[in-house]
Amino acid sequence: MTAMPLLPQVLPLLLLLTSADAVFRFASYYGDHMVLQQKPAQAVVWGYGEVGALVTVSLIQGMDTISKTAVKVYGDVGIWKVLLDPVDYGGPYHLIAQQTFKQEVTSIHLDDVLFGDVWICGGQSNMEMTVSQIFNASKELARGAHYPYVRLFTTSLESSDTELLDLAKVDLEWSVPTTKNLGSGDFTYFSAVCWIFGRHLARKLKYPIGLVESVWGGTPVEAWSSKTALSKCGLSETPIEMIQRYEFTDTLAGPCDYSVLWNAMIHPLLNMTIKGAIWYQGEQNTGMNTNLYNCTFPALIQDWRRSFHEGSMGQTDPNFPFGFVQLSTNQKTQPNDNYPVIRWHQTADYGYAPNPKMPNTFMAVAMDLGDETSPYGSVHPRDKQTVAFRLYLGARAIAYGDQRVPFQGPFPETIDIYYNYSYMNITYNQELLITHACDHIFEVRVNVNGESQYTWIPAPAESPSSKVVTVTFKGCSHISAVRYAWSDWPCEYKQCPIYSVHGRLPAPLFIKYFN
């Protein structure tokens, strides 16, 4: 795609338009250099004006008017909202909005507008980590200059007790990627995972990608969920003791109150037409409503989909693709198993994605990316390149329908137990790459004193064929479950024992109970 220079004939008109009335304006997340969602969807453009005024929105390329739409300003606040005609990817375009009120005409405009795919990037601190904080940061920062059609936007960290119509503040207005805004600026930064995911898409698809970052470190899923979504999981008002425990004892934590970030950082974006979302969160929920995450996370996905579809006047797909990162590691010595529990609950207890409860989702497994020497704490691994690439593979397969792309690690298809010989055969859904011995990563649950007590013991395993792992449990008369990689830190960096043959994608953890 070749950038089109601003034609001399258009310059006088655009210079005149910069003296717009302050009352007549675009909403906070519209600006020069932005990306609007391409066809078949229609992009939403909205803003504020004088109630009762007529607003005409024109999309212009060169000297040609591509589309023109007129609407009335409505409501107590004075809102105008239009659907542009479907536009193929490319650009740049000029977008001009003209308000006519009591015979007075006021105009505003946006320059260098592109059409492509818009992705929301949400979550907590691992999504918030900037490019300057990851491995090979200087090399990654330098890549920004090679992707001028990836555009960046960052919301400010704001919370609210009520749903806001628009963003209270913007940290990074729509921008072309530079070394400064990717990670080395004093006041601006951008998510490494979001950026790398976006540049992979732009390189493959060869059209503009718009990335909208809305994240806050140390925040639980409940803060990003609407009251409607939380009510589906039996949650209403935030318990006072929960706020005290997580907001005031962890100086790095953001607000934990229910819905406050949904209200301030997601609800204002709902009018935007988007392609999909990626999500990296869950660490905070290892200590907050852990056993509800198999409800709260799927409920968030369902509610975001419904809300973006309605807010965009039906243009955002009601089942838009949603990718997420299954949590990495935190500590080798663990007081509980909350990290594997959250990883399991991130899949609604299926172990893989997409699944019947979470359709059109994709997952990047990260439990093999432990980073014990990370200066940001081991909970913040610096290999965000691998995280983003695994998300990209999922997007290729799920969001863009490329069935040739392997994006899932191996997962058990059947488990056959042979008690007479004290072993079980676990047959996986694809061929396996066994990197080393599986002596301690599989465990079986052995009942003690009848059914009332049990213990987990390591079970040696080997692979007799390309898709089968044999787990032995000699000396155990009966077992009630088997699990794989069920620990906070199951393996060292990229050294889990089981990967896919193609793509070296790690097998995710699983747990299976027997009758």
Side-chain angles (χ1 to χ4, degrees):
M1 181 177 60
T2 302
M4 180 177 293
L6 194 63
L7 296 181
Q9 300 95 317
V10 183
L11 281 172
L13 173 61
L14 295 184
L15 290 173
L16 177 65
L17 299 178
T18 57
S19 58
D21 189 318
V23 174
F24 180 48
R25 66 189 190 277
F26 294 103
S28 62
Y29 47 87
Y30 292 84
D32 295 345
H33 316 300
M34 79 176 303
V35 176
L36 293 173
Q37 184 59 40
Q38 65 169 318
K39 70 177 187 182
Q42 295 176 255
V44 176
V45 179
W46 72 280
Y48 305 89
E50 298 285 356
V51 177
L54 180 68
V55 173
T56 303
V57 178
S58 302
L59 186 67
I60 298 171
Q61 187 171 43
M63 296 301 294
D64 297 325
T65 299
I66 308 302
S67 66
K68 194 170 187 177
T69 308
V71 293
K72 287 278 190 178
V73 180
Y74 62 91
D76 296 334
V77 180
I79 299 295
W80 54 270
K81 186 175 180 181
V82 303
L83 279 178
L84 301 179
D85 291 342
V87 178
D88 203 354
Y89 66 81
Y93 293 88
H94 311 294
L95 195 147
I96 299 174
Q98 186 178 73
Q99 174 182 265
T100 304
F101 183 68
K102 295 181 179 179
Q103 299 184 334
E104 181 178 345
V105 178
T106 308
S107 297
I108 53 179
H109 79 282
L110 302 178
D111 190 22
D112 187 31
V113 174
L114 304 178
F115 282 79
D117 284 343
V118 180
W119 284 83
I120 302 288
C121 302
Q124 59 177 109
S125 54
N126 268 303
M127 183 66 86
E128 195 173 32
M129 282 182 70
T130 73
V131 176
S132 62
Q133 295 175 301
I134 65 174
F135 288 141
N136 301 314
S138 58
K139 183 177 181 180
E140 192 60 56
L141 288 169
R143 284 194 169 112
H146 301 291
Y147 293 90
Y149 297 111
V150 176
R151 300 295 171 83
L152 317 176
F153 179 90
T154 306
T155 69
S156 291
L157 277 62
E158 299 285 340
S159 62
S160 173
D161 292 332
T162 58
E163 293 181 340
L164 302 185
L165 178 64
D166 201 357
L167 295 172
K169 190 178 177 183
V170 171
D171 265 4
L172 178 65
E173 295 183 351
W174 282 103
S175 302
V176 176
T178 65
T179 298
K180 181 178 179 180
N181 60 35
L182 283 175
S184 64
D186 293 332
F187 303 104
T188 59
Y189 57 88
F190 201 76
S191 160
V193 170
C194 189
W195 155 250
I196 299 169
F197 172 80
R199 73 162 174 78
H200 277 306
L201 286 179
R203 177 182 55 83
K204 177 63 180 178
L205 300 172
K206 302 189 185 314
Y207 58 67
I209 299 293
L211 301 173
V212 178
E213 176 189 337
S214 188
V215 303
W216 195 331
T219 52
V221 71
E222 293 82 1
W224 297 98
S225 305
S226 72
K227 293 185 184 300
T228 299
L230 292 176
S231 67
K232 295 179 181 178
C233 303
L235 297 173
S236 53
E237 297 301 319
T238 313
I240 297 299
E241 64 272 14
M242 191 171 289
I243 299 174
Q244 292 173 339
R245 179 180 177 186
Y246 293 100
E247 189 173 5
F248 300 115
T249 61
D250 183 356
T251 57
L252 298 178
C256 291
D257 308 54
Y258 293 174
S259 302
V260 293
L261 303 184
W262 158 267
N263 292 340
M265 297 175 67
I266 299 299
H267 189 269
L269 302 176
L270 296 183
N271 289 345
M272 184 184 298
T273 308
I274 66 171
K275 173 66 175 182
I278 57 173
W279 176 259
Y280 197 162
Q281 188 276 335
E283 297 88 348
Q284 195 73 4
N285 285 101
T286 61
M288 176 176 174
N289 291 336
T290 304
N291 291 325
L292 280 177
Y293 204 85
N294 57 355
C295 179
T296 52
F297 183 43
L300 175 143
I301 296 172
Q302 293 169 8
D303 189 64
W304 279 29
R305 285 171 167 169
R306 176 191 60 80
S307 299
F308 271 98
H309 178 69
E310 293 176 358
S312 64
M313 303 166 71
Q315 296 308 303
T316 296
D317 191 324
N319 194 35
F320 66 75
F322 195 107
F324 63 95
V325 182
Q326 193 179 49
L327 292 191
S328 181
T329 53
N330 181 32
Q331 55 186 344
K332 291 184 176 179
T333 303
Q334 61 192 67
N336 53 52
D337 63 351
N338 284 6
Y339 263 74
V341 168
I342 281 290
R343 291 184 190 120
W344 185 245
H345 286 345
Q346 284 182 293
T347 66
D349 299 350
Y350 281 88
Y352 57 88
N355 60 58
K357 196 171 181 181
M358 301 168 64
N360 216 34
T361 61
F362 52 96
M363 175 176 72
V365 175
M367 68 181 182
D368 66 333
L369 302 179
D371 187 0
E372 196 170 11
T373 61
S374 172
Y376 314 106
S378 55
V379 74
H380 299 120
R382 289 167 288 176
D383 184 2
K384 294 299 191 278
Q385 287 91 341
T386 298
V387 170
F389 185 72
R390 289 173 180 174
L391 279 173
Y392 158 74
L393 293 178
R396 286 271 308 278
I398 298 299
Y400 297 98
D402 191 341
Q403 298 180 358
R404 301 166 299 174
V405 177
F407 71 103
Q408 295 173 307
F411 198 78
E413 208 164 43
T414 60
I415 299 178
D416 299 305
I417 304 178
Y418 303 92
Y419 279 109
N420 291 341
Y421 302 96
S422 299
Y423 74 87
M424 70 178 73
N425 280 341
I426 302 175
T427 303
Y428 282 80
N429 60 359
Q430 58 182 279
E431 291 188 0
L432 308 177
L433 174 65
I434 306 296
T435 61
H436 58 271
C438 306
D439 291 344
H440 302 289
I441 201 163
F442 283 95
E443 298 172 285
V444 294
R445 192 173 84 161
V446 180
N447 289 349
V448 180
N449 297 329
E451 298 294 328
S452 60
Q453 296 180 352
Y454 61 85
T455 186
W456 288 94
I457 61 172
E462 59 181 14
S463 181
S465 66
S466 62
K467 289 188 177 182
V468 176
V469 171
T470 298
V471 177
T472 59
F473 47 91
K474 293 178 181 179
C476 304
S477 60
H478 183 76
I479 61 171
S480 56
V482 62
R483 65 189 188 184
Y484 170 78
W486 202 269
S487 66
D488 185 326
W489 202 298
C491 50
E492 293 305 313
Y493 179 72
K494 292 191 175 180
Q495 292 182 28
C496 280
I498 302 178
Y499 287 82
S500 61
V501 169
H502 303 291
R504 288 186 62 88
L505 297 171
L509 88 172
F510 76 85
I511 188 167
K512 172 67 175 179
Y513 295 95
F514 308 119
N515 295 328

